[in-house]
Amino acid sequence: MPASCIPLGVRETIGANGDYIVSMILCAFAFLFAPPLIKVEVPVDHVRASKVAAALNGQIWVGAHQEPRKGGAPLLPSGIRMLVNDARGVLTFLGTDEDDIDQATRTAELLDVEPKHVRVQVGLESKVDRYKTDSTIESLNNEGWSLSTEVGLTLQIASRINEDGTIMVYVKIVGPTGTASCGWREKSGEVATLTIDGLGGIGSMRLATSLANPPPSELKIQGRFEDPITVIIRPKIVEKPA
């Protein structure tokens, strides 16, 4: 509002502080005629609310502590402010455009999906010990688990679902006198066979998978494996836990 629009008597009263008071009047008019603020709370039922918020901000979550990093274009409309409450499992959207609020709400609901799980069937055999065991474990993506046996072998397995639908599998075998570890990419539902030829020495390790086998440098043995060991692993993606 230009100063000429203010009555002459008011302008004379304003005096030296005219610019400040005119600014205050303009702010008052802006406040009075501003569109109302819309506030919508969206419950997040299947994952951590911060994980959905990260995706809306164009980020992805990685690592054991799920820290966000840059991963893509934001999905949140530019005029929307978002508040995150992990304890309540709620996202709050604030804005003045109803269409933007609706878009943010719909996108958040699409991102709030039941996380995929990995079901891993494992067979471990030590012929010298006359020992064989079969186990099945189901865990969240990016989680690991451990299997201890009565013959002194511990099997540690972690898995991660890749964007192309394959599964990264990480295996570590801990024995009384050595450890062996490797990682590879596997098709969901396919079988991989890991063999350690101990034969009273340091031993060598072989891995047969449905995809390209990892190079020998990725098959690591520390210490000694006195006896042959065979591990059969079949990872499979499942939509929901059993």
Side-chain angles (χ1 to χ4, degrees), residues 30-228:
F31 177 80
L32 290 174
F33 294 101
L37 184 67
I38 304 172
K39 176 181 177 181
V40 173
E41 289 191 348
V42 179
V44 180
D45 299 320
H46 298 106
V47 296
R48 189 182 181 94
S50 294
K51 189 172 184 179
V52 175
L56 287 169
N57 284 325
Q59 299 170 317
I60 57 178
W61 286 54
V62 294
H65 302 290
Q66 293 187 319
E67 295 181 356
R69 71 180 183 188
K70 190 66 178 177
L75 302 176
L76 194 67
S78 59
I80 298 298
R81 181 186 174 199
M82 176 173 55
L83 305 177
V84 183
N85 189 321
D86 281 328
R88 292 179 56 212
V90 169
L91 295 178
T92 301
F93 298 120
L94 303 170
T96 57
D97 189 292
E98 187 172 351
D99 290 339
D100 286 347
I101 290 286
D102 289 343
Q103 178 182 339
T105 300
R106 289 194 302 270
T107 305
E109 291 172 346
L110 289 173
L111 294 170
D112 179 27
V113 296
E114 184 81 24
K116 292 182 178 180
H117 293 65
V118 178
R119 180 183 299 144
V120 183
Q121 295 175 314
V122 179
L124 186 147
E125 181 178 9
S126 174
K127 291 184 177 180
V128 173
D129 291 305
R130 307 295 193 270
Y131 178 82
K132 185 176 181 180
T133 184
D134 296 293
S135 299
T136 300
I137 189 71
E138 197 164 296
S139 63
L140 284 170
N141 185 31
N142 277 328
E143 287 190 351
W145 57 278
S146 178
L147 171 67
S148 297
T149 70
E150 59 190 60
V151 294
L153 295 172
T154 298
L155 183 63
Q156 300 173 356
I157 297 180
S159 56
R160 186 190 73 232
I161 302 173
N162 298 319
E163 292 183 0
D164 61 0
T166 60
I167 304 171
M168 278 300 301
V169 182
Y170 304 93
V171 173
K172 184 176 183 180
I173 303 171
V174 181
T177 58
T179 62
S181 61
C182 62
W184 71 95
R185 189 169 61 94
E186 186 59 270
K187 291 181 180 179
S188 177
E190 296 294 330
V191 174
T193 302
L194 176 63
T195 305
I196 299 177
D197 296 322
L199 304 178
I202 294 177
S204 61
M205 184 162 51
R206 302 190 311 274
L207 178 66
T209 76
S210 65
L211 299 173
N213 295 333
S217 60
E218 297 299 318
L219 308 177
K220 301 176 181 178
I221 293 182
Q222 295 178 334
R224 301 172 66 88
F225 279 86
E226 301 291 339
D227 305 319

Side-chain angles (χ1 to χ4, degrees), residues 7-19:
L8 180 60
V10 175
R11 272 187 284 157
E12 291 174 350
T13 304
I14 289 174
N17 296 322
D19 291 341

